[in-house]
């Protein structure tokens, strides 16, 4: 049987042979449209070589890799500068949801397309009036014979412009008398390429458009493409969020280490290291990243305990924002020029600075996460949300 060192060599060799210069470092947060077709092609090769579904159970076509091996894979992936993948919403969110809560027919229909990155997915939860307060969604789906018919609007839908399918949280029944607003919601799998779906890109601070408004106006999906029971979609939607990160967090932190190393190099080149405040902030960034990595490895390898995964999100999001702010200090006036995409290194740091403003918003805003810690871990009285 292959040991972990051999496994590490295997993935390292595969990446060395497949991560060509035109792919290295492409894509990722804030740069999702960069070299998209080359990254899609790379993602499909990664899948064909059996790496994409490393963490999936063998019975669902994966390799059933241990957590240790998943960590090794993500570390090597990040170290090789392999490009941002385009299949993560399918692989880490909807795929595991279907394995746990879908029907056999749904698994047979969708898992192969997710595993091979031949069908890409997006997440249709947020709406103009429902973000943190997700149970307020007003998109409706009504049965018409063998189909659900959807009407409503989603917003901030990442990668909807390239997605083939969307998992949509929609209201399929009114709130029953005396029940919570979570009742009557359903989790529907909806094809994106049909006349009743309009995708409008939203221009971000970076100048790029990675997320979108999505309008459903008579969009249809088959009656069986509801995951879980109709009206019980809240539980399914929360299960999906629970799958979101996992071992990939370790790879993200390897990328953070590279960002920090590059920022130290920039500070040396520009002479910013003469400023004691810059030296202090760089050193603090290293300390905080060391603590974050240790905490993450501990959380991943221990039985789940309340709030520990939330702490990772709170720490990494603030860490990256801090790094972006420090990069702007080090760049000085070059940091405030417009984002043109043609001035190399400064453009990279400006994008990181600007995009990282979103880090404390998506995946559950930091205010909401702290509220959850306050109530569920510290046991503080529930906040009045009127
Ligand atoms: C880059 C990016 C990508 C995204 N991708 C997707 C996607 O693919 N699919 C999708 O469905 N959504 C996506 N989102 C949306 C994201 O989930 C929401 O932005 C998030 O849930 C916050 O909702 P909101 O923007 O409506 O803000 P609101 O909920 O209106 O919150 C506004 C502010 O008020 C604070 N706040 C709200 N309620 C409370 C409270 N009770 N206590 C304390 N503070 C509170 C929030 O923390 C926030 O600072 C994405 C967002 C971003 C930034």
């Amino acid at each position: 049987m292959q040991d972990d060192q051999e496994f590490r060599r295997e993935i390292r060799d595969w990446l060395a042979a497949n991560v060509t210069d035109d792919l290295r470092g492409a894509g990722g947060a804030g740069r999702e449209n960069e070299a998209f077709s080359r990254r899609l092609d790379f993602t499909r090769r990664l899948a064909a070589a059996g790496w994409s579904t490393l963490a999936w159970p063998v019975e669902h076509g994966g390799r059933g890799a241990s957590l240790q091996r998943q960590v090794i894979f993500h570390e090597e992936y990040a170290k090789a500068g392999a490009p941002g993948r385009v299949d993560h919403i399918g692989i880490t969110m909807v795929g595991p949801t279907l394995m746990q809560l879908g029907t056999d027919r749904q698994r047979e229909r969708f898992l192969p397309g997710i595993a091979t990155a031949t069908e890409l997915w997006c997440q249709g939860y947020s709406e103009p009036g429902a973000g943190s307060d997700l149970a307020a969604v007003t998109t409706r789906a009504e049965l018409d014979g063998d189909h659900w018919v959807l009407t409503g609007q989603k917003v901030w839908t990442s990668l909807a412009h390239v997605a083939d399918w969307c998992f949509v949280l929609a209201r399929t029944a009114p709130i029953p008398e005396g029940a919570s607003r979570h009742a009557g919601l359903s989790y529907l799998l909806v094809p994106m390429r049909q006349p009743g779906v309009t995708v409008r890109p939203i221009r971000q601070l970076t100048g790029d458009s990675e997320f979108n408004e999505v309008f459903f106006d008579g969009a249809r999906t088959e009656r069986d493409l509801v995951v879980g029971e109709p009206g019980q979609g809240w539980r399914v939607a929360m299960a999906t969020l629970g799958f979101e990160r996992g071992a990939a967090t370790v790879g993200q932190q390897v990328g953070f280490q590279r960002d920090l190393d590059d920022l130290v190099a920039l500070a040396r080149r520009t002479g910013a290291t003469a400023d004691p405040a810059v030296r202090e902030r760089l050193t603090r960034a290293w300390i905080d990243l060391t603590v974050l990595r240790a905490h993450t490895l501990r959380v991943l390898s221990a039985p789940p305990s309340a709030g520990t995964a939330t702490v990772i999100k709170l720490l990494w999001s603030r860490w990256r924002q801090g790094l972006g702010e420090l990069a702007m200090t080090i760049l000085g006036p070059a940091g405030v020029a417009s984002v043109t995409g043609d001035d190399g290194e400064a453009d990279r740091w400006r994008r990181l600075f600007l995009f990282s403003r979103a880090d404390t918003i998506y995946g559950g805003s930091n205010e909401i996460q702290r509220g959850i810690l306050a109530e569920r871990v510290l046991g503080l009285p529930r906040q009045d949300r009127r």
Side-chain angles (χ1 to χ4, degrees):
M1 164 135 169
Q2 186 188 41
D3 68 22
D4 286 349
Q5 280 313 315
E6 284 163 357
F7 175 81
R8 190 181 284 279
R9 264 196 302 279
E10 186 193 347
I11 177 61
R12 199 178 278 173
D13 290 349
W14 190 91
L15 290 165
N18 287 277
V19 180
T20 45
D21 285 346
D22 58 343
L23 284 167
R24 195 162 290 116
R31 302 197 333 268
E32 286 289 1
N33 290 321
E34 197 173 88
F36 186 83
S37 56
R38 283 204 301 276
R39 285 166 49 222
L40 176 60
D41 176 62
F42 174 84
T43 304
R44 288 180 176 162
R45 280 187 284 129
L46 190 76
W51 296 113
S52 300
T53 50
L54 195 66
W56 283 17
V58 175
E59 71 202 269
H60 294 303
R63 285 170 69 170
S66 65
L67 180 67
Q68 174 66 17
R69 290 202 176 179
Q70 294 174 46
V71 168
I72 292 173
F73 169 80
H74 288 292
E75 277 175 357
E76 292 300 324
Y77 193 92
K79 277 188 202 156
R85 281 166 59 177
V86 302
D87 61 348
H88 50 281
I89 298 176
I91 292 285
T92 63
M93 297 180 84
V94 71
T97 305
L98 293 177
M99 287 173 211
Q100 197 175 87
L101 299 166
T103 60
D104 285 343
R105 184 176 166 266
Q106 289 166 355
R107 287 191 274 270
E108 279 160 26
R109 165 66 188 84
F110 292 111
L111 293 185
I114 295 170
T116 52
T118 45
E119 288 181 332
L120 302 182
W121 285 77
C122 63
Q123 177 192 12
Y125 282 14
S126 305
E127 298 184 0
S132 304
D133 186 16
L134 187 57
V137 296
T138 58
T139 292
R140 279 180 298 116
E142 284 164 0
L143 270 179
D144 174 24
D146 284 340
H147 286 88
W148 294 99
V149 180
L150 285 90
T151 313
Q153 185 199 340
K154 297 293 172 181
V155 73
W156 318 124
T157 320
S158 300
L159 299 173
H161 53 298
V162 290
D164 303 289
W165 287 86
C166 184
F167 50 97
V168 176
L169 190 63
R171 182 153 290 286
T172 49
I175 305 166
E177 187 71 28
S180 90
R181 291 175 309 150
H182 304 130
L185 296 169
S186 297
Y187 186 105
L188 299 165
L189 310 176
V190 180
M192 290 294 283
R193 300 182 203 281
Q194 57 165 314
V197 176
T198 305
V199 176
R200 257 192 235 152
I202 300 172
R203 193 157 186 261
Q204 301 162 197
L205 271 178
T206 54
D208 219 339
S209 298
E210 301 176 8
F211 50 34
N212 306 269
E213 295 177 293
V214 176
F215 298 87
F216 297 111
D217 184 11
R220 299 176 87 81
T221 196
E222 288 168 33
R223 186 184 187 129
D224 310 355
L225 296 188
V226 54
V227 183
E229 292 299 314
Q232 305 286 313
W234 182 260
R235 193 171 65 92
V236 186
M238 292 305 108
T240 299
L241 294 181
F243 293 126
E244 206 170 347
R245 276 231 157 254
T249 312
V250 175
Q252 183 194 40
Q253 291 167 15
V254 174
F256 286 177
Q257 182 65 56
R258 197 178 35 241
D259 286 339
L260 178 57
D261 292 344
D262 291 349
L263 194 60
V264 169
L266 179 72
R268 293 170 81 104
R269 276 201 309 282
T270 59
T273 46
D275 179 345
V278 168
R279 298 167 71 93
E280 210 252 79
R281 286 166 73 187
L282 285 169
T283 310
R284 182 152 296 283
W286 181 86
I287 294 168
D288 290 348
L289 185 55
T290 305
V291 172
L292 173 59
R293 289 176 73 170
H295 175 71
T296 304
L297 288 171
R298 196 174 63 90
V299 171
L300 286 174
S301 52
S305 88
T308 49
T310 305
V311 171
I312 298 176
K313 162 71 185 2
L314 290 168
L315 291 179
W316 80 248
S317 52
R318 269 307 300 146
W319 189 89
R320 190 154 66 175
Q321 283 185 351
L323 196 79
E325 287 156 13
L326 180 52
M328 290 303 101
T329 302
I330 291 170
L331 277 172
V336 292
S338 66
V339 177
T340 58
D342 60 5
D343 58 351
E345 186 156 27
D347 179 66
R348 166 190 171 182
W349 295 113
R350 276 198 298 269
R351 273 176 196 275
L352 189 150
F353 168 68
L354 293 173
F355 189 83
S356 66
R357 308 321 299 170
D359 291 342
T360 48
I361 301 172
Y362 64 82
S365 78
N366 282 24
E367 290 80 8
I368 294 293
Q369 303 290 343
R370 284 193 292 270
I372 291 171
L373 289 181
E375 289 173 13
R376 299 200 194 147
V377 180
L378 300 183
L380 302 188
R382 204 172 144 71
Q383 197 183 17
D384 184 357
R385 298 214 167 86
R386 270 171 302 162

